[in-house]
DNA sequence: GAATTTCAGAGAGCACCGCTCTTGTTTTGT
DNA sequence: ACAAAACAAGAGCGGTGCTCTCTGAAATTC
């Protein structure tokens, strides 16, 4: 016997419905298309009623953002389980962005105006992939000996080192620098593709471009 | 004697005011803060009156986007006039993004929902910097001999080659690939910094990070 | 110089949004 | 059985983009 009352079960059900509808609205119309009034309408309920389940629109957005971070990180983890490499990681991100372009924009695009994601809610899921990348870079660092390239001064990397430390990680400066470079290049390419900055006609060559970028970064 | 009527002069004046207010609103509150009703209020005019000057909100956005593209391209050109190098180009973009974060987001962030920039209005100003980068890469290509890295198949670069051809440019595949890599890394880093994806505390080290990324790309 | 066309602006109105407050009703825990 | 808590409804506030009609003034035409 579950000691949950019918009302409690109904509440969980409704909460799940709200986030499901919210996710669907993001997929269909982007973040702008997420409307509490429309959700209420779809639930067959008056608009003020949804505020029983969600404090305000921002709270719903936080849920959707956390979900999206976890989904793409899960997807990347699955891909890495088959083969651990930087290229696989980047290609998995690219593939997920193709399948969920609006969710991608939600987490890696312009921050939402007048909204600040609560760090305690989003930092952990939001950093999973980057941590995985740092591990990959660190693992393959020994393969090619010490990097000959001039590193930025240690001071410049200090804030990033601290950020990693908070998550319980420590890496050499060369690893951090390499991770950052690969990260911004991969994200930058995916954003350029998703946001149409290279013009049309690149649909069929996305993976190849990503492979080219990654390989020219020496991984 | 100008043969412009007072009415024509007043119209030009009002149009200029509208775009100036629009730019200020972008700077203050981002694209979401651009409201035709608020502009009307500021002009001391009823809301429907501004539609005499601007067909709709999207048309104003197009004007603001074109302006922003031209402004950053002018800024980069000025920097390159002093010293022609990839690092200077990237650092100039970064500096401009710091001075005008919301305008940066307007042109390099998530596309605006339900808005499609008319290509004929925005392609030319929107590609100026990338063309300058391609020229820089091409000029310095001879310095280090042919690239040893494996290039993606010519087919993958075909759409980009066509895009450049439309703008009257031709470059080798190695140059195109290198340009794309540098471009996405630079844009990716600036976006990460502007959008806070690396967390707080990086304000003082932005330039050094950019130099590190660019130098690790071999330029 | 008078008649006519053009155009700027006013005002009302439509449909949407987030969000709050008050009022009943139903389900819970005591 | 009864008080407390949760829920839903409804009205309302202020905001958005945009359209339509109407008036008055300026510019153009004759």
């Amino acid at each position: 016997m579950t000691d949950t009352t019918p009302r409690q079960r109904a509440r969980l059900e409704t909460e799940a419905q709200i986030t499901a509808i919210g996710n669907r609205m993001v997929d269909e119309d982007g973040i702008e298309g997420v409307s509490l009034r429309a959700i209420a309408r779809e639930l067959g309920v008056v608009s003020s009623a949804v505020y029983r389940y969600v404090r305000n629109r921002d709270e719903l957005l936080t849920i959707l953002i956390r979900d999206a971070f976890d989904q793409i990180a899960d997807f990347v983890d699955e891909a890495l389980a088959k083969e651990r490499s930087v290229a696989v990681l980047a290609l998995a991100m690219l593939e997920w962005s193709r399948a969920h372009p609006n969710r991608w924009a939600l987490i890696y695009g312009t921050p939402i105006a007048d909204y600040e994601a609560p760090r305690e809610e989003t930092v952990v899921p939001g950093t999973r992939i980057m941590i995985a990348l740092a591990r990959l870079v660190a693992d393959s660092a020994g393969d090619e000996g010490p990097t000959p390239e001039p590193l930025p001064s240690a001071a410049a990397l200090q804030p990033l080192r601290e950020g990693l430390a908070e998550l319980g990680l420590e890496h050499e400066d060369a690893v951090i620098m390499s991770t950052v470079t690969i990260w911004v290049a991969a994200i930058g390419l995916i954003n350029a593709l998703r946001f149409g900055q290279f013009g049309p006609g690149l649909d069929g060559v996305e993976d190849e471009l990503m492979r080219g970028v990654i390989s020219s970064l020496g991984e």
Side-chain angles (χ1 to χ4, degrees), chain A:
Chain A
M1 284 294 177
T2 62
D3 61 343
T4 63
T5 69
R7 190 171 252 175
Q8 280 174 320
R9 272 178 279 120
R11 171 166 258 276
L12 289 178
E13 168 80 10
T14 305
E15 285 173 353
Q17 271 184 321
I18 288 175
T19 74
I21 296 173
N23 264 310
R24 207 207 57 222
M25 285 175 164
V26 169
D27 286 339
E28 287 173 353
D29 300 308
I31 190 61
E32 321 280 344
V34 176
S35 151
L36 292 187
R37 289 189 108 110
I39 290 176
R41 232 174 287 132
E42 196 157 328
L43 290 175
V45 108
V46 87
S47 74
S48 61
V50 309
Y51 289 88
R52 294 267 158 199
Y53 300 93
V54 155
R55 189 181 299 272
N56 50 36
R57 187 170 179 269
D58 282 4
E59 189 176 288
L60 176 57
L61 297 190
T62 299
I63 295 170
L64 299 177
I65 288 170
R66 190 175 8 86
D67 274 18
F69 271 129
D70 268 326
Q71 284 166 22
I72 187 174
D74 287 346
F75 186 79
V76 170
D77 281 349
E78 278 181 40
L80 287 180
K82 295 172 194 157
E83 184 194 335
R84 282 176 51 82
S85 80
V86 170
V88 165
L89 180 143
L91 288 169
M93 292 185 81
L94 175 56
E95 185 180 342
W96 191 88
S97 81
R98 231 179 347 242
H100 307 285
N102 290 337
R103 299 192 200 186
W104 171 269
L106 185 63
I107 54 184
Y108 292 115
T110 309
I112 298 152
D114 297 323
Y115 167 83
E116 186 142 10
R119 293 186 67 79
E120 63 276 17
E121 297 261 2
T122 54
V123 162
V124 171
T127 49
R128 283 174 56 191
I129 301 180
M130 204 175 163
I131 289 174
L133 175 62
R135 289 226 173 86
L136 277 173
V137 172
D139 288 354
S140 70
D143 298 359
E144 321 188 10
T147 48
E149 288 142 15
L151 284 177
S153 77
L157 294 180
Q158 183 61 25
L160 291 171
R161 217 180 295 116
E162 284 171 6
L164 290 173
E166 281 179 29
L167 298 164
L169 299 203
E170 288 204 18
H171 288 293
E172 300 174 15
D173 284 2
V175 169
I176 296 179
M177 194 63 234
S178 181
T179 301
V180 167
T181 303
I182 295 171
W183 179 260
V184 299
I187 303 273
L189 176 59
I190 297 176
N191 275 339
L193 293 171
R194 288 289 77 73
F195 300 168
Q197 282 165 11
F198 288 150
L202 300 208
D203 289 5
V205 300
E206 293 192 353
D207 284 15
E208 205 131 7
L209 278 176
M210 179 60 86
R211 268 188 273 263
V213 166
I214 295 294
S215 81
S216 78
L217 293 176
E219 283 294 325

